[in-house]
């Protein structure tokens, strides 16, 4: 064995970054569409985007915590 574990894999890191980016983007798009459905004014759209961004970031935090606590990888 060469002493490397599964956490040293650069493809795993690239996958995690891609998943985080998609997660934030999807949450923001959903926030935009919900805001558009609620009224469509600028205030609603800005609020929907901010809420989507917040939910996306919190979801990424949960994802990273789950990845870091996983002993197997």
């Amino acid at each position: 064995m060469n002493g490397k574990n599964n956490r040293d894999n650069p493809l795993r890191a690239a996958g995690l970054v891609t998943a985080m980016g998609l997660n934030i983007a999807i949450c923001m798009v959903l926030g935009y569409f919900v805001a558009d459905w609620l009224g469509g004014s600028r205030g609603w759209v800005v609020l929907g985007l901010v809420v989507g961004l917040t939910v996306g970031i919190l979801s990424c935090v949960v994802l990273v915590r789950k990845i870091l606590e996983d002993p197997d990888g």
Side-chain angles (χ1 to χ4, degrees):
M1 295 283 186
N2 58 6
K4 284 183 137 184
N5 61 12
N6 198 13
R7 291 180 186 235
D8 294 337
N9 189 351
L11 291 177
R12 180 180 170 155
L16 179 62
V17 169
T18 302
M20 290 170 56
L22 284 173
N23 193 4
I24 291 175
I26 290 170
C27 287
M28 288 185 71
V29 168
L30 287 175
Y32 172 80
F33 282 121
V34 168
D36 191 44
W37 177 72
L38 286 175
S41 69
R42 276 194 192 145
W44 281 112
V45 171
V46 170
L47 182 65
L49 288 173
V50 169
V51 168
L53 179 65
T54 304
V55 169
I57 290 173
L58 291 175
S59 178
C60 286
V61 167
V62 169
L63 177 67
V64 169
R65 283 186 181 173
K66 184 74 173 167
I67 294 293
L68 290 179
E69 77 180 17
D70 188 20
D72 299 336

